[in-house]
Amino acid sequence: PKDIRNSGNIPRYVRVNILKTNVEEIIKHFCEQDGYRCIDEPTDLTDLRQTIKRDVHIPELLVFPPNTDLHDHGLLLSGHIILQDKASCFPAYILSPPKDAHVIDACAAPGNKTTHLSAIMKNTGKIWAFDIDRKRLDLLKTLTERAGYIEAIHCSFLNVDPKDDKFANVEYILLDPSCSGSGIVSRLDCLIDSLENNLVSNKEQKTCHPKDARLQHLSEFQTQLILHAFKCTYLSRVPSVKKVTYSTCSIHAEENERVVKEILQTTDDFVLADRDKVIPSWERRGDNNELAEDTAQKLIRTSPEDSTNGFFVACFVRKVKQYGSNI
Ligand code: SAM
């Protein structure tokens, strides 16, 4: 699949931290201080030279030319902008918890999506951010240290009691678990090279082309996490969770459509949100070789062909009439 090779051509995406500033201010800064030219209308990704564009799908996302180096930029160091790939902005945007919501970010570190959630919630409500990796969670704590409504907790989400009264009002859960990472462009190139040349050493094969057993293990773990998230209840009985996004940066159906298929076969309580609630203008949908066309249409896939990394998002909603109108 040579056409998906796009290393180095993925734009530099910049998410504006709308808790500190706004998109107009950031564009003004880049134009006046750094000599950029802004194409001021939402647009697709054709000519990127020396320009900044607003992203056509995510309102607070700006698109810079590929390889733009902003790592030392003052706006990044001051937390006014965040470097985040476009596809990785989709889960929080799709979950879109309202102001004052109670939210769980189940696999949260280093916190890109946690901070995106808090921006969407305008610094209100409560976010519990879990992660099993202490070092990564320390990064999240640094990123969110002045946000008292974000509680970082070092543990496996699978060990969290979803019936704890603390979580009684949790209605939204973002699940972005560990995955093979096969959608990340540098790894995709590696995967394609190994398939094309068939010249790789065993060691390379291990990192570039995950074995079936590893994918199987990951997909079982991912399925377990989703089912655990569905268990959050109020007073140990009344369902509270009504919307759960599941995402991976994997291109493997085992971690994507097949996990969704397994979940839909296991639960009677959740269904996939309709396509019109899941970035309807995004064209690349789930793989219809894996699921019926109407089901696949409710899922999102992204690829370097879309100028972003390979990514997958599913959005589950509770199958209860009373929630129908506000999700
Ligand atoms: N959502 C993060 C972000 O946007 O910055 C990236 C999350 S990364 C893809 C997956 C994370 O899941 C890793 O930080 C890993 O330590 C964490 N993880 C793996 N198993 C876990 C578990 N059982 N409970 C909680 N976190 C877990």
Side-chain angles (χ1 to χ4, degrees), residues 15 84 87-92 105 108 110-118 127 174 176 247 311:
R15 180 164 64 77
Q84 189 170 353
S88 118
C89 296
F90 283 5
D105 189 350
N112 285 330
K113 298 179 188 70
T114 321
T115 55
H116 193 191
L117 285 169
S118 65
I127 302 177
L174 190 145
D176 185 45
S247 48
F311 206 78

Side-chain angles (χ1 to χ4, degrees), residues 118-133:
S118 65
I120 290 169
M121 291 157 67
K122 304 206 167 17
N123 263 350
T124 67
K126 173 88 193 176
I127 302 177
W128 285 275
F130 297 99
D131 205 282
I132 203 167
D133 184 319

Side-chain angles (χ1 to χ4, degrees), residues 11-14 23-40 47-54 62-75 81 83:
R12 160 62 65 205
Y13 291 101
V14 167
V23 171
E24 287 69 29
E25 282 299 315
I26 295 297
I27 290 177
K28 191 166 164 229
H29 182 105
F30 274 106
C31 291
E32 289 179 1
Q33 311 284 322
D34 300 342
Y36 279 86
R37 188 165 52 91
C38 176
I39 297 175
D40 207 18
D47 181 12
L48 280 171
R49 280 167 298 170
Q50 296 303 310
T51 59
I52 313 176
K53 299 180 187 185
R54 292 160 197 257
L62 296 175
V63 187
F64 285 71
N67 302 321
T68 303
D69 185 2
L70 298 173
H71 283 90
D72 291 330
H73 200 284
L75 290 175
I81 58 171
L83 306 182

Side-chain angles (χ1 to χ4, degrees), residues 84 88-89 91 105-116 129-134 136-137 140 143 153-160 174-179 181 221 224-225 247-249 311:
Q84 189 170 353
S88 118
C89 296
D105 189 350
C107 300
N112 285 330
K113 298 179 188 70
T114 321
T115 55
H116 193 191
F130 297 99
D131 205 282
I132 203 167
D133 184 319
R134 187 183 291 281
R136 287 170 65 94
L137 198 69
L140 180 144
L143 208 62
I153 302 174
H154 174 231
C155 73
S156 166
F157 179 60
L158 292 173
N159 291 336
V160 171
L174 190 145
L175 257 179
D176 185 45
S178 301
C179 69
F221 156 74
Q224 246 187 319
L225 281 171
S247 48
T248 72
C249 52
F311 206 78

Side-chain angles (χ1 to χ4, degrees), residues 152-322:
I153 302 174
H154 174 231
C155 73
S156 166
F157 179 60
L158 292 173
N159 291 336
V160 171
D161 177 6
K163 297 188 173 160
D164 188 323
D165 280 349
K166 238 185 348 194
F167 310 123
N169 296 315
V170 169
E171 293 180 312
Y172 299 84
I173 299 187
L174 190 145
L175 257 179
D176 185 45
S178 301
C179 69
S180 63
S182 55
I184 304 294
V185 163
S186 54
R187 293 195 211 176
L188 252 176
D189 274 353
C190 180
L191 199 90
I192 295 163
D193 281 342
S194 70
L195 292 174
E196 281 174 356
N197 302 331
N198 202 20
L199 284 172
V200 287
S201 69
N202 285 341
K203 186 168 166 265
E204 279 166 329
Q205 266 177 351
K206 227 179 236 163
T207 48
C208 299
H209 192 32
K211 290 201 166 70
D212 289 352
R214 182 167 172 241
L215 286 182
Q216 182 62 29
H217 176 75
L218 278 167
S219 97
E220 281 166 15
F221 156 74
Q222 291 152 347
T223 305
Q224 246 187 319
L225 281 171
I226 300 174
L227 292 174
H228 196 69
F230 288 173
K231 288 185 195 150
C232 276
T233 48
Y234 175 58
L235 293 179
S236 311
R237 204 165 41 83
V238 185
S240 60
V241 173
K242 61 183 186 186
K243 195 171 184 185
V244 177
T245 56
Y246 167 70
S247 48
T248 72
C249 52
S250 166
I251 57 166
H252 296 298
E254 287 89 336
E255 299 175 89
N256 299 334
E257 288 84 359
R258 291 188 203 166
V259 167
V260 169
K261 193 172 181 178
E262 175 70 23
I263 293 293
L264 295 176
Q265 284 169 354
T266 309
T267 177
D268 285 331
D269 298 332
F270 282 81
V271 289
L272 287 172
D274 286 341
R275 180 185 164 135
D276 67 349
K277 300 276 195 322
V278 189
I279 317 185
S281 60
W282 186 259
E283 283 181 20
R284 192 181 303 279
R285 312 304 295 195
D287 183 350
N288 59 9
N289 294 312
E290 296 287 339
L291 292 164
E293 176 65 24
D294 59 333
T295 309
Q297 283 295 318
K298 296 175 183 172
L299 304 171
I300 284 192
R301 266 188 182 254
T302 69
S303 143
E305 282 179 89
D306 312 316
S307 300
T308 184
N309 283 295
F311 206 78
F312 175 83
V313 192
C315 177
F316 297 97
V317 289
R318 188 176 287 281
K319 222 200 291 179
V320 177
K321 268 263 177 326
Q322 77 204 63

